[in-house]
Amino acid sequence: MRLALSFLWCLTYAFVFGQQYPYKQTIAQLCAPEYAGRGYVDSGCIRAADLIAAEFKKIGLQPLQRNYQQAFSFPVQTFPGTCLFVAGNDTLMPGIDYLVDPASAGVRSEMYKVVYCNAATLYRSVNAFKPCPKDRILVVNTTGFGADTNKVLQTRLRELQTFAATIELTSNKLTWSVSQQAKPYPSFQVLSNAFEAKPKYVFIDLESKFIPDFTSSNIIGYLPAAKKAKKKPYLVVTAHYDHLGKMGNDTYFPGANDNASGVGMLLYLAQQLSQQHDPNYNYVFIAFGAEEAGLVGSRYFVEHPLFALKKIKFLLNTDIMGSGEEGITAVNATLFKTEFARLTQINQEGSYITQVKSRGPAANSDHYFFTEKGVPAFFIYTMGPNKHYHDIEDKAAALSYAAFEPLAQLLLEFMRSF
Ligand SMILES: [Zn+2]
């Protein structure tokens, strides 16, 4: 008991006075089943938002308004229940053998007769497959075609999906996403090796629920400058906390690297900066919601900022922080050359990261709408052998954290260089 108490004291001490935020613990928690992949089923993203707000409070961040939450709404398609796909005699494994199209319609216990579409016929037009009886499902095999042909076939697939249930057979890695729309018919992506037996029938039972106005929120914490805070410049750190959520009852996407790891980094930096606060700066930490649904949270913030965006001296967006064996990339490096030169110089002097790679602007994370408004920003991501991305294996246990702490030091020094 005494041992347990002193252990507890050590933990408390480390948290209150120590140097390090327990980032691995928080990342693992955000990836746990009760957070449901931080999506739109089982309140996953809402639970994650509450956890982050509680961490902000522990660290000592202040809210910028009455509380940390900035709420916004948007439409989203969800799959909250049964998700059963039987091809011939085989029950396929969701997330392993197949993905439900993020915009797929649901279907209750339907037996479909399989129609294998000839790729050459489909390449020319979808007319040969029109109209499609309700009890048929069209299968398009896109494996083995060149990029140009594949592009045309993808367009045809989208055309088929306006009047028929479809299956795309592919040998590509299965990579899921989120949709703000719902298509009129069910559609799936299936690995071609799961369809080798060329089944004549498939049985599908898929529950879907379209939510026209799901309410999510950005979580915003603040460390004010010492005097006349509002007049001092702002340094901003951002990371999205949402992920893809659930695809049926039993399958969720943990989103460890993308982007529980970035939230871990944001909290780690927030704690460090709160302990050694430069009083000349306002620091703002924003955990964005609904990034995976199309940068929804960050767009909302840029359109409804809680302080003048022109006061932002620099913004660092962290997304995919869990590896780093092959260094990091800075998106927008070519736009902000002086800052990038300073980042690489600090890295050389401190020998923090093996490589700091330059990349041009890209609309691939939450920095994007800030960049569009003229806010100087980098989007930093780590690179390494962990290739799990938008799949069910992006788990906390798969993160190496190869660059996490030295990267945090690099980013802290970079922020102190303004
Ligand atoms: Zn991400």
Side-chain angles (χ1 to χ4, degrees), residues 240 258-259 291-292 319-320 365:
H240 76 87
D258 184 14
N259 187 32
E291 190 262 4
E292 306 289 5
D319 194 349
I320 306 195
S365 189

Side-chain angles (χ1 to χ4, degrees), residues 46-67:
I46 292 165
R47 284 170 205 241
D50 289 346
L51 172 78
I52 294 162
E55 294 301 293
F56 276 14
K57 198 168 182 194
K58 272 195 231 166
I59 289 169
L61 304 184
Q62 299 177 16
L64 262 172
Q65 12 175 47
R66 255 182 314 148
N67 52 39

Side-chain angles (χ1 to χ4, degrees), residues 70-73 218 295-305:
Q70 179 188 41
F72 56 89
S73 302
N218 298 322
L295 314 179
V296 181
S298 52
R299 178 180 213 154
Y300 186 86
F301 182 88
V302 165
E303 286 167 0
H304 306 84

Side-chain angles (χ1 to χ4, degrees), residues 169-244:
L169 297 183
T170 178
S171 54
N172 294 342
K173 174 190 169 299
L174 295 179
T175 301
W176 209 40
S177 57
V178 179
S179 177
Q180 292 194 39
Q181 277 134 33
K183 290 174 181 169
Y185 295 88
S187 50
F188 302 85
Q189 209 181 26
V190 180
L191 284 185
S192 31
N193 63 15
F195 236 67
E196 258 164 15
K198 286 230 161 199
K200 287 192 171 72
Y201 291 90
V202 297
F203 175 82
I204 296 166
D205 194 2
L206 173 69
E207 204 175 322
S208 73
K209 187 182 179 198
F210 182 72
I211 305 170
D213 53 355
F214 188 95
T215 299
S216 180
S217 58
N218 298 322
I219 311 301
I220 306 164
Y222 177 43
L223 281 174
K227 279 184 192 158
K228 294 183 183 162
K230 291 272 150 62
K231 290 199 168 156
K232 303 273 187 190
Y234 285 67
L235 289 172
V236 181
V237 181
T238 67
H240 76 87
Y241 67 86
D242 65 294
H243 194 58
L244 311 175

